[in-house]
Amino acid sequence: RDKFLKPGGALYPSHARMYIAPMYNDDAVKKNAQYQETIREWTGFLAETATNYGVDMSCLTPTFCHEQWQFFVQSAQWMDLPSQDMVGKPCAIKDIDLNVATVDDYRTISVPFSCPINLDSQVSGFAGWFSTTFEGSQSAPAKQPHVVLNTAPGTG
């Protein structure tokens, strides 16, 4: 945009809004179960190497467990999330005017938010998505109604 958009030009999409909401999904629960199974296998490996080879590798346990926690639990998952997996109301966490935003403006986003839980359910994670609108710019606005691209759960 900064390099190729001529003065007075229009950027499409021109605006974006980021959302977050609590969700419950079996895939997230399965990843937690996979983490637990990996830790059980590690414990068996430690016992086997100590018994068969006389090698105590338990000093590696904290690092191994931390690495597995990051992989199985703290990694983002990309999925087509059905709307019925949402257990709380979404919260808009950021509005972005793409006509003027810079990467540094949004490299880190830290905002307080609240998402009321509206189902009697567990929460297995938070879903994040965005919507964009094709409004153009002040000098070259798009015709109404504006086109909206929404990536919310259940829209895809």
Side-chain angles (χ1 to χ4, degrees):
R1 168 206 72 198
D2 295 339
K3 188 174 182 179
F4 297 108
L5 186 64
K6 71 178 184 175
L11 181 67
Y12 294 98
S14 58
H15 295 79
R17 179 172 281 174
M18 299 170 64
Y19 296 89
I20 192 168
M23 46 88 63
Y24 179 84
N25 182 278
D26 286 335
D27 290 343
V29 174
K30 287 176 188 173
K31 287 210 48 144
N32 189 33
Q34 290 171 330
Y35 167 74
Q36 297 296 331
E37 178 61 24
T38 299
I39 299 305
R40 278 191 294 278
E41 289 173 358
W42 174 256
T43 303
F45 171 76
L46 290 177
E48 186 177 320
T49 56
T51 300
N52 295 339
Y53 307 105
V55 178
D56 179 6
M57 299 183 71
S58 62
C59 65
L60 300 175
T61 297
T63 301
F64 178 82
C65 290
H66 178 70
E67 181 182 85
Q68 299 307 307
W69 179 261
Q70 286 181 316
F71 176 75
F72 284 109
V73 180
Q74 292 182 324
S75 298
Q77 297 179 39
W78 296 91
M79 64 178 71
D80 187 13
L81 194 62
S83 58
Q84 62 264 25
D85 285 356
M86 306 313 298
V87 298
K89 296 204 178 275
C91 176
I93 59 170
K94 200 69 170 174
D95 286 312
I96 306 169
D97 182 346
L98 299 171
N99 290 295
V100 297
T102 66
V103 172
D104 287 337
D105 292 338
Y106 299 97
R107 190 172 306 277
T108 301
I109 297 172
S110 178
V111 294
F113 68 92
S114 175
C115 297
I117 307 293
N118 50 352
L119 295 174
D120 184 16
S121 174
Q122 294 179 339
V123 174
S124 62
F126 284 89
W129 66 92
F130 64 90
S131 66
T132 59
T133 56
F134 294 71
E135 299 175 26
S137 64
Q138 287 183 347
S139 58
K143 293 181 180 175
Q144 298 263 355
H146 297 139
V147 174
V148 176
L149 168 67
N150 188 355
T151 64
T155 60

